[in-house]
Amino acid sequence: MNSEGPAATDGLRLLPFRGLRYVPERVGSLAAVTSPPYDVVVRPDGLAELESSDPHNIVRLILPQAGTAEARHRRAADTLTRWLAEGVLAADPEPALYVYEQRHGDLLQRGIIGALALSEPAEGVVLPHEDVMPDIVADRADLMRTTDANLEPLLFTYRGDGDATGATAVVEDTVRRPPLLATTTEDGFSHRLWALTDPVELAAVGKDLADRQALIADGHHRWATYLRLRAERPDPGPWSYGLVLLVDTARYPLRVRAIHRVVRRLPVPAALASLTAGDAFRVRRVDGPLPRALDALAEAAADGNAFLLAGDGSFRLADRPDPELLSRTVRADRPEAWRSLDATVLHATVLERLWRIPDSPDEIGYIHDAAAAVEHAERHGGTAVLLHPVREEIVRDLARRGVTMPRKSTSFGPKPATGLVLRSLALE
């Protein structure tokens, strides 16, 4: 087997499915009904903007609004049922894999969307690299269970041979044909989608992927949700598979970005006081604007752990943590690559020991965009902690060794747009 780690025992099984897609004549535009993944939508402003872009925007399914969790999930299910009855969404006539392309300037990403057979981490077929939050998994599970659907494809990567062979060759051949749909979203990304139904091509994809292993790039909580829902239904069936986008990163490398934290109830002065007490960290002011401050963070991160703090109109760089403090606060039973991660030090040393902030959604917000994190902290009187991204090879190496990183340590992208193709389990 052409595996990426010694624990692998089997390969990837990606099955065709009857995709649910928007009927173009029933919506204003395909771009207006799409959304970023649920955890990238910056609430409430981003949510309101998406809701107002089109009455049928997919955000009404992935982030329904109501007074209680149960009411939210029921609203999503009722909305999905209504859109199907009204012909806003319709199922494709036959099962297919979907070739998906994203392009923005010089950035090009192509992959295959399908229903992937679920497997536990111990099987070594799908490698997670981050921990998950149980409350988020529970919420996503309730939403999927109530809607009877996979509403968004997860982003997975695998390492092909670097050439246009196997599944990658099928992708390259497919994109020469007219697409099922093409649209350009507000962020400047163009999106194209093709249905792959030819038995010979499907067999070529299956044969190639059967020798592969995948890394979860984006979607740890939803993958954990898939596994939870499968456990509720032990007999083989639709819930034994989950919707994913598989990208060959030997052919199309992904970008790796950081996910930033906003400590909601911690004002910047209190945050700085704890960091400087006892010389726990060196803290110094750096010049803005934000891109310049992030350059200073990148320079400091090349020499060790570093964080950029904001929220009071200025920027402070915290670096050079006290080695004795790290030895007391960071677990010693993990590899050095894990112990030296910025996210590890942030959670074990800063949040738990110095700030004594529990890692809960009420206390800490996770925001992908640095400017949005700073704005949120300034608006609500909290502290934004901006991180430098982890290199992909570190992520993959830790995943191969079965070591998970702190939750929300990385943001791989570009992420697939939500709303281009959905999977209804009721159709299978």
Side-chain angles (χ1 to χ4, degrees):
M1 175 175 169
N2 185 18
S3 70
E4 295 176 324
T9 59
D10 202 355
L12 302 169
R13 293 183 59 226
L14 191 70
L15 298 189
F17 68 102
R18 290 182 63 199
L20 290 184
R21 296 190 295 112
Y22 280 100
V23 177
E25 295 78 14
R26 298 303 306 273
V27 298
S29 73
L30 289 175
V33 295
T34 63
S35 164
Y38 81 99
D39 58 339
V40 182
V41 176
V42 179
R43 291 166 274 188
D45 293 348
L47 180 63
E49 181 179 345
L50 288 166
E51 287 182 327
S52 63
S53 66
D54 189 282
H56 302 108
N57 188 281
I58 194 68
V59 78
R60 287 179 167 79
L61 301 184
I62 62 171
L63 289 172
Q65 299 301 294
T68 66
E70 182 179 0
R72 289 194 298 272
H73 304 146
R74 175 44 52 193
R75 172 168 290 183
D78 291 344
T79 300
L80 177 57
T81 299
R82 186 175 71 255
W83 288 356
L84 288 167
E86 295 173 350
V88 174
L89 288 168
D92 282 335
E94 59 182 317
L97 296 178
Y98 295 86
V99 173
Y100 176 47
E101 176 190 275
Q102 296 163 274
R103 188 189 294 267
H104 189 286
D106 295 333
L107 177 62
L108 175 64
Q109 179 171 289
R110 290 171 177 157
I112 303 176
I113 297 174
L116 184 66
L118 304 184
S119 61
E120 297 289 344
E123 297 176 54
V125 177
V126 173
L127 304 177
H129 70 267
E130 289 183 356
D131 293 330
V132 297
M133 304 178 199
D135 57 320
I136 295 179
V137 174
D139 179 77
R140 291 293 102 181
D142 288 343
L143 177 63
M144 288 189 203
R145 191 185 297 111
T146 306
T147 57
D148 207 17
N150 297 158
L151 301 172
E152 320 179 68
L154 286 56
L155 177 59
F156 281 23
T157 74
Y158 71 97
R159 299 289 295 178
D161 301 324
D163 299 320
T165 58
T168 300
V170 174
V171 169
E172 300 300 331
D173 288 341
T174 302
V175 298
R176 298 188 181 97
R177 308 166 190 164
L180 278 179
L181 64 85
T183 189
T184 299
T185 45
E186 194 174 78
D187 57 8
F189 272 87
S190 65
H191 307 263
R192 296 197 297 170
L193 192 76
W194 295 260
L196 191 62
T197 59
D198 181 84
V200 174
E201 292 179 322
L202 293 174
V205 171
K207 181 179 178 180
D208 185 28
L209 295 182
D211 199 34
R212 307 292 181 189
Q213 185 181 47
L215 174 74
I216 302 176
D218 184 68
H220 283 82
H221 288 87
R222 285 165 289 169
W223 183 254
T225 297
Y226 290 167
L227 294 176
R228 174 181 290 195
L229 294 173
R230 181 185 68 167
E232 297 175 0
R233 302 164 176 82
D235 294 333
W239 294 96
S240 298
Y241 300 83
L243 186 63
V244 306
L245 165 65
L246 276 174
V247 175
D248 176 3
T249 53
R251 186 81 171 177
Y252 299 105
L254 271 65
R255 299 178 307 189
V256 186
R257 294 180 173 176
I259 301 178
H260 311 292
R261 276 67 167 158
V262 176
V263 187
R264 305 185 194 279
R265 299 187 178 95
L266 182 68
V268 171
L272 297 174
S274 297
L275 291 176
T276 55
D279 295 325
F281 282 78
R282 181 180 72 166
V283 178
R284 53 197 168 99
R285 186 185 293 265
V286 294
D287 294 332
L290 178 58
R292 185 175 181 181
L294 288 172
D295 287 341
L297 172 63
E299 183 177 348
D303 295 325
N305 300 119
F307 311 101
L308 187 65
L309 276 66
D312 63 350
S314 62
F315 300 101
R316 269 90 166 187
L317 186 66
D319 63 356
R320 299 186 182 179
D322 176 14
E324 292 187 3
L325 174 63
L326 295 183
S327 67
R328 295 196 307 269
T329 55
V330 177
R331 291 177 56 171
D333 61 344
R334 294 293 181 93
E336 177 58 29
W338 182 91
R339 290 172 53 81
S340 60
L341 290 170
D342 287 338
T344 297
V345 172
L346 174 60
H347 283 262
T349 304
V350 178
L351 290 169
E352 293 180 18
R353 180 61 62 89
L354 299 180
W355 292 346
R356 301 191 181 279
I357 301 292
D359 188 2
S360 70
D362 290 338
E363 301 290 344
I364 302 173
Y366 292 83
I367 298 180
H368 292 70
D369 182 74
V374 173
E375 180 185 1
H376 188 91
E378 290 178 345
R379 182 185 303 177
H380 300 286
T383 296
V385 184
L386 308 184
L387 287 80
H388 189 65
V390 183
R391 299 195 312 275
E392 181 178 358
E393 56 266 30
I394 293 177
V395 177
R396 192 174 291 275
D397 179 64
L398 288 172
R400 287 176 183 148
R401 298 162 71 177
V403 179
T404 55
M405 300 165 64
R407 59 194 62 160
K408 300 292 184 181
S409 293
T410 59
S411 176
F412 283 84
K415 304 178 191 305
T418 299
L420 296 180
V421 62
L422 292 64
R423 175 177 176 244
S424 170
L425 283 81
L427 295 176
E428 301 179 19

